[in-house]
Amino acid sequence: MSDASDARLTDRRNFIRFLAASPVMTPTAVRTLVGSLTLGSTSALAQSYDVLRAPAQAVGDVIAAPEQALNVMDFEPAAKKALPPAHYGYLASGVDGDETLRANHEAFSKIRIRTRRLIDVRKIDTSVTIFGQTYATPIMLAPVSSQGAFHPEAETAVAKAAKVKGNGMILSTVGSTSIEDVTEARGAPVWYMLYPTDDWTVTEALVKRAEAAGAPAIVLTVDRQGGRNTETLFRLRRDDTRNCKDCHAGGFANEVSRKPMFDDLDVSKVTNLYGTGMTWDYVDRLRKIVKGKLVLKGIVTHEDAEEALKHGVDAIIVSNHGGRAEESLYPTIEALPEVVKAVNGKIPVLVDGGFRRGTDVIKALAMGATAVCIGRPYCWGLAAFGEPGVAAVLAIMQREFDTIMKQVGALRIADITPDMVSVG
């Protein structure tokens, strides 16, 4: 730096100190003026850690507004407060003792991040391109069923928040909103997660409708074949005084009567939503009718990943249904490396399960994931505050991810490499 530049920088700092000491300048005014003075500066000035930059405000055990949240976990108590016990139980439940649900997130604590220094990270690019579509972030929204149980605006509110933040989105077969309405709210095509049913005619109709709406990928869920024991849901259901039969009358036709993707379909022959009995022959059959990309969700082993390649699958989502499929105690972040190794870069590998922090995201990307999917966190935001809650969850996770990208010295997603993490 030249002597003249040194002098200008010294003068600027002295002027800022003078303003801060002035009795006529409020802290807000000082910060605003300082921002204008440093705008466009090429000097790397120190970050502010002024605890007073946030408004002084009493916050109880449960946040009352999205802006009060410090992390995405703050939204869960607010969601629990806002929801009937059974609806919260559906969202919170894993299977059996919820041990796999907990293991999904706890496994991240075994992975350390190796940071780098003296890299200019003032400008980073977090965008990622999958199947020719570019998203602002590798944080996608996983399919979650029946979001109308969490908020009246359901998937529409989620899609609107995703549009603003640039997140990709996957819609569930049994979502509360049609793919046409979700696509309109998102302002771009969304992926469609397929529960196949045991009636091929219905399955084929669901695929055709999703593709007609522009869905670039059909995501076949393959981890719900053996049934499940959702004890947490059953336990909280006991505390719900409502007559749940008003909405859950029993029988497949009644169960999907409020699910718009089944409108005008004859479901009289359907007895099972999850297509019990699926084999790799079913994947072959589906591959023949899917015109776009076919994704398998629920793969957690290298054997199944290798088999998926043989059957023309275009991508894999490493998933145990958020700990809601089986009590395997096998966290998805631990399953990720063997799946990545098996596909050897031939197709994208996404992963979900237990993602709560931006640091979780970068760990998965460093271990070979193309993108990650979050489910419960954005639904907590939806249940508590609607669209603003979803937007706040996405903003918090993105802010954390931006921060850790800078700390490892990655300017773009491609710069995130395996040597940035240490496992064990």
Side-chain angles (χ1 to χ4, degrees), residues 110-187:
K110 302 175 184 178
I111 306 169
R112 297 181 294 274
I113 297 173
R114 301 179 66 247
T115 55
R116 299 295 303 274
R117 311 302 185 199
L118 299 174
I119 300 171
D120 186 351
V121 290
R122 287 174 295 179
K123 292 183 180 180
I124 62 171
D125 179 4
T126 66
S127 65
V128 61
T129 300
I130 309 174
F131 299 152
Q133 188 170 355
T134 299
Y135 306 98
T137 171
I139 303 171
M140 296 186 67
L141 305 186
V144 178
S145 303
S146 306
Q147 292 182 27
F150 310 139
H151 192 274
E153 295 180 8
E155 292 88 356
T156 299
V158 174
K160 289 179 178 178
K163 178 181 180 180
V164 173
K165 301 300 180 182
N167 301 78
M169 180 176 177
I170 309 174
L171 176 68
S172 170
T173 294
V174 283
S176 303
T177 313
S178 72
I179 191 167
E180 293 85 2
D181 289 343
V182 170
T183 299
E184 181 180 2
R186 174 60 182 81

Side-chain angles (χ1 to χ4, degrees), residues 79-90 149-150 236 239-240 242:
K80 184 176 183 179
K81 182 178 180 180
L83 293 174
H87 288 191
Y88 174 74
Y90 172 75
F150 310 139
L236 288 173
D239 298 329
D240 204 316
R242 300 169 305 141

Side-chain angles (χ1 to χ4, degrees), residues 64-369:
E67 58 269 20
Q68 293 176 344
L70 299 179
N71 55 50
V72 303
M73 284 76 74
D74 283 345
F75 289 91
E76 185 176 13
K80 184 176 183 179
K81 182 178 180 180
L83 293 174
H87 288 191
Y88 174 74
Y90 172 75
L91 181 57
S93 187
V95 293
D96 295 352
D98 293 349
E99 293 184 42
T100 305
L101 186 159
R102 289 189 291 271
N104 272 345
H105 181 64
E106 290 172 358
F108 286 103
S109 66
K110 302 175 184 178
I111 306 169
R112 297 181 294 274
I113 297 173
R114 301 179 66 247
T115 55
R116 299 295 303 274
R117 311 302 185 199
L118 299 174
I119 300 171
D120 186 351
V121 290
R122 287 174 295 179
K123 292 183 180 180
I124 62 171
D125 179 4
T126 66
S127 65
V128 61
T129 300
I130 309 174
F131 299 152
Q133 188 170 355
T134 299
Y135 306 98
T137 171
I139 303 171
M140 296 186 67
L141 305 186
V144 178
S145 303
S146 306
Q147 292 182 27
F150 310 139
H151 192 274
E153 295 180 8
E155 292 88 356
T156 299
V158 174
K160 289 179 178 178
K163 178 181 180 180
V164 173
K165 301 300 180 182
N167 301 78
M169 180 176 177
I170 309 174
L171 176 68
S172 170
T173 294
V174 283
S176 303
T177 313
S178 72
I179 191 167
E180 293 85 2
D181 289 343
V182 170
T183 299
E184 181 180 2
R186 174 60 182 81
V190 299
W191 296 12
Y192 181 70
M193 185 278 284
L194 177 68
Y195 281 136
T197 82
D198 56 357
D199 183 342
W200 180 255
T201 301
V202 172
T203 303
E204 192 171 23
L206 291 170
V207 170
K208 287 182 177 179
R209 179 174 175 182
E211 293 193 325
I218 301 297
V219 182
L220 176 66
T221 291
V222 298
D223 59 13
R224 286 296 317 280
Q225 298 300 293
R228 63 183 181 181
N229 173 34
T230 52
E231 288 183 12
T232 296
L233 168 59
F234 299 150
R235 188 170 293 109
L236 288 173
R237 168 67 184 87
R238 296 170 179 170
D239 298 329
D240 204 316
T241 58
R242 300 169 305 141
N243 181 10
C244 291
K245 290 184 178 180
D246 289 343
C247 296
H248 305 277
F252 185 82
N254 289 320
E255 284 298 311
V256 299
S257 61
R258 292 169 291 109
K259 311 299 183 183
M261 290 304 294
F262 290 92
D263 288 351
D264 303 321
L265 293 183
D266 179 4
V267 297
S268 60
K269 296 179 181 179
V270 179
T271 63
N272 190 292
L273 183 64
Y274 310 109
T276 297
M278 278 195 303
T279 66
W280 289 103
D281 289 339
Y282 192 95
V283 175
D284 291 338
R285 190 179 186 186
L286 192 61
R287 174 72 280 179
K288 291 178 181 178
I289 69 166
V290 172
K291 296 178 181 178
K293 304 297 184 180
L294 177 61
V295 181
L296 294 192
K297 178 179 179 290
I299 300 298
V300 292
T301 64
H302 69 85
E303 294 93 340
D304 285 341
E306 291 164 0
E307 197 68 26
L309 289 176
K310 297 176 184 176
H311 291 268
V313 170
D314 298 300
I316 286 171
I317 301 179
V318 177
S319 175
N320 55 26
H321 225 90
R324 296 161 69 88
E326 79 288 318
E327 195 73 300
S328 64
L329 300 183
Y330 192 28
T332 51
I333 193 65
E334 292 185 6
L336 175 64
E338 69 172 277
V339 174
V340 169
K341 183 178 180 181
V343 305
N344 195 27
K346 295 182 176 69
I347 59 176
V349 176
L350 290 75
V351 59
D352 66 26
F355 287 86
R356 301 290 183 267
R357 292 282 193 181
T359 49
D360 300 339
V361 177
I362 204 164
K363 290 173 183 180
L365 298 184
M367 296 169 72

